[in-house]
Amino acid sequence: MHYLTFVGRVARLTGTSEDRAATLTGATLETFAERLTGGEVLDLAAQLPKPLQGLLSPYPRDEAAERFGAAEFVARVARRADCDENTARDAVRAVFVTMREAIRGGEFQEVVVQFPRDYRDMVEPALAPASANRR
């Protein structure tokens, strides 16, 4: 998937401009980089459009992942994107859905298993069969 397609999809899902969607996507991916293990961050980055890959550097450049819940994830996205938490939560859902469409199914499953149950409301829209079929 191309960068503009990725950001355009996030824009449509969030009802925002493409510029705002790019900011929301960046904030979400930077937070992913903190929450996922280093190896998984690198695997995911390799399948995303080049302009997004730099946002997914292992943080803090080792294999360990920070363990924080969904509320903290949303709060970090909101701070990075300078938005309210409802907007941030919608953006995280949109990025999950778009990633599901952009990367191989097996890789997406490897990402999803690193998120505990309290992320369910943000992850489940990406697991719906319609999301998987929109390639």
Side-chain angles (χ1 to χ4, degrees):
M1 179 180 288
H2 295 287
Y3 173 77
L4 292 176
T5 304
F6 194 104
V7 170
R9 179 81 170 121
V10 172
R12 282 189 300 284
L13 290 170
T14 58
T16 62
S17 70
E18 288 191 6
D19 285 343
R20 187 68 182 136
T23 299
L24 293 166
T25 298
T28 301
L29 292 177
E30 287 175 17
T31 308
F32 269 117
E34 295 169 340
R35 184 63 182 77
L36 298 173
T37 61
E40 197 55 51
V41 168
L42 294 174
D43 291 347
L44 176 59
Q47 294 191 46
L48 292 178
K50 291 256 186 239
L52 298 177
Q53 291 177 1
L55 300 170
L56 281 166
S57 298
Y59 193 91
R61 309 244 184 273
D62 65 21
E63 184 59 27
E66 285 187 57
R67 298 292 176 205
F68 49 86
E72 176 62 20
F73 192 100
V74 168
R76 290 182 188 203
V77 171
R79 280 191 302 273
R80 285 186 166 112
D82 192 26
C83 65
D84 63 73
E85 291 191 0
N86 288 330
T87 300
R89 181 172 275 101
D90 289 345
V92 173
R93 282 187 195 112
V95 171
F96 266 117
V97 168
T98 306
M99 279 191 339
R100 173 66 180 106
E101 296 170 4
I103 63 176
R104 291 188 319 265
E107 181 60 36
F108 184 76
Q109 291 304 323
E110 289 176 21
V111 169
V112 168
V113 298
Q114 291 198 29
F115 291 91
R117 290 175 104 19
D118 67 329
Y119 285 79
R120 179 179 293 172
D121 75 313
M122 293 184 292
V123 174
E124 281 186 349
L127 300 175
S131 295
N133 293 330
R134 279 192 213 122
R135 285 192 171 236

